[in-house]
Amino acid sequence: MKAEREDEHLRILIRRASIERRVRQIARKITSDFRGERVHLIGVLKGASIFLSDLIREIGLEVSLDFIAVSSYGQSTRSTGQVRLTKDLDTTIEGLHTILVEDVLDTGLTLDYLQRVLSQRKPRSLRLAAFLVKAAPRVKQIRPDYVGFEIPDEFVVGYGLDYAERYRNLRDICVLELPGGRDPRPPTPPSLPR
Ligand code: IMP
Ligand code: MG
């Protein structure tokens, strides 16, 4: 895998074929969990867009979808521990079987926040699907109902996940390595682990 810049190195962690297999398995599980029902999927922009678009096409149910966006990583999530809605849903989720779809569960702050916001809107049910779950110290204890892969606490890109908006289009999940072992993540305040 070739990095886009000379000083960035990519190491494949999860190959495209494994991703495809796992996404089909998760879709089958959702299809059987909600047999005969309609499900409403909510993707967290932008990272979850690729996972969501692969997932919905493998679900054999009546499906609708919407997107939500929160202030993220490089900006303020990790630096303040605060999450903020930057784009709300287009439609109500009241009475719907809703599945929140996220690219990666790291500290848990994003999913914890969104779970609280969405559960106040009276969905018929609310489940969480995380494509990746990191073996990282969590600020918030979150248990996703559907998990793609558990991965080590490393910074990854591809399949929707970015580094400064780049690499979302990679078909594999890759660890991004910077020169001198530099950490691609923005600095963490003392109030958060790591
Ligand atoms: P959390 O709120 O710390 O659980 O982090 C969730 C968000 O941080 C994700 O939606 C991603 O946007 C971002 N993030 C966390 N780890 C990574 C990574 O390894 N690569 C790219 N983005 C990440
Ligand atoms: Mg994200």
Side-chain angles (χ1 to χ4, degrees):
M1 188 66 47
K2 183 95 176 64
E4 283 165 10
R5 311 231 167 142
E6 200 140 292
D7 58 347
E8 297 172 0
H9 183 259
L10 298 173
R11 171 166 52 83
I12 295 181
L13 187 66
I14 310 168
R15 287 184 189 278
R16 172 188 183 179
S18 317
I19 294 174
E20 288 171 357
R21 218 176 305 125
R22 189 74 189 117
V23 171
R24 275 197 299 273
Q25 286 170 351
I26 295 172
R28 268 202 296 274
K29 183 73 168 70
I30 291 174
T31 304
S32 76
D33 287 355
F34 290 95
R35 188 151 305 281
E37 308 274 354
R38 169 192 174 185
V39 290
H40 186 64
L41 267 56
I42 297 177
V44 185
L45 291 172
K46 301 169 216 171
S49 60
I50 310 280
F51 174 42
L52 178 67
S53 63
D54 281 348
L55 190 65
I56 53 168
R57 284 175 287 178
E58 302 287 340
I59 295 177
L61 302 169
E62 199 176 303
V63 176
S64 51
L65 69 99
D66 203 345
F67 291 96
I68 199 164
V70 292
S71 58
S72 68
Y73 240 50
Q75 296 143 42
S76 69
T77 306
R78 188 172 284 275
S79 51
T80 61
Q82 299 255 312
V83 184
R84 192 170 52 82
L85 270 195
T86 56
K87 183 221 168 287
D88 205 339
L89 299 174
D90 290 340
T91 56
T92 178
I93 57 168
E94 193 171 336
L96 297 178
H97 287 300
T98 303
I99 304 177
L100 182 61
V101 180
E102 173 63 310
D103 53 1
V104 54
L105 170 63
D106 185 5
T107 64
L109 284 165
T110 308
L111 280 179
D112 175 70
Y113 171 78
L114 287 175
Q115 198 174 25
R116 279 185 287 120
V117 168
L118 296 182
S119 58
Q120 285 164 9
R121 299 183 183 184
K122 306 192 179 71
R124 183 150 163 217
S125 63
L126 177 62
R127 294 202 179 179
L128 303 179
F131 177 64
L132 301 175
V133 171
K134 281 195 193 179
R138 290 250 203 290
V139 177
K140 302 285 182 183
Q141 289 313 312
I142 298 282
R143 303 227 159 278
D145 302 279
Y146 307 102
V147 172
F149 300 91
E150 300 190 3
I151 62 165
D153 186 12
E154 292 185 284
F155 193 84
V156 292
V157 294
Y159 201 67
L161 290 105
D162 72 305
Y163 172 57
E165 297 300 327
R166 295 181 288 113
Y167 296 123
R168 293 194 198 272
N169 56 332
L170 300 182
R171 294 176 188 274
D172 310 301
I173 289 287
C174 299
V175 175
L176 176 71
E177 288 162 344
L178 298 181
R182 218 168 73 227
D183 194 334
R185 292 169 291 208
T188 309
S191 60
L192 294 179
R194 178 195 298 125

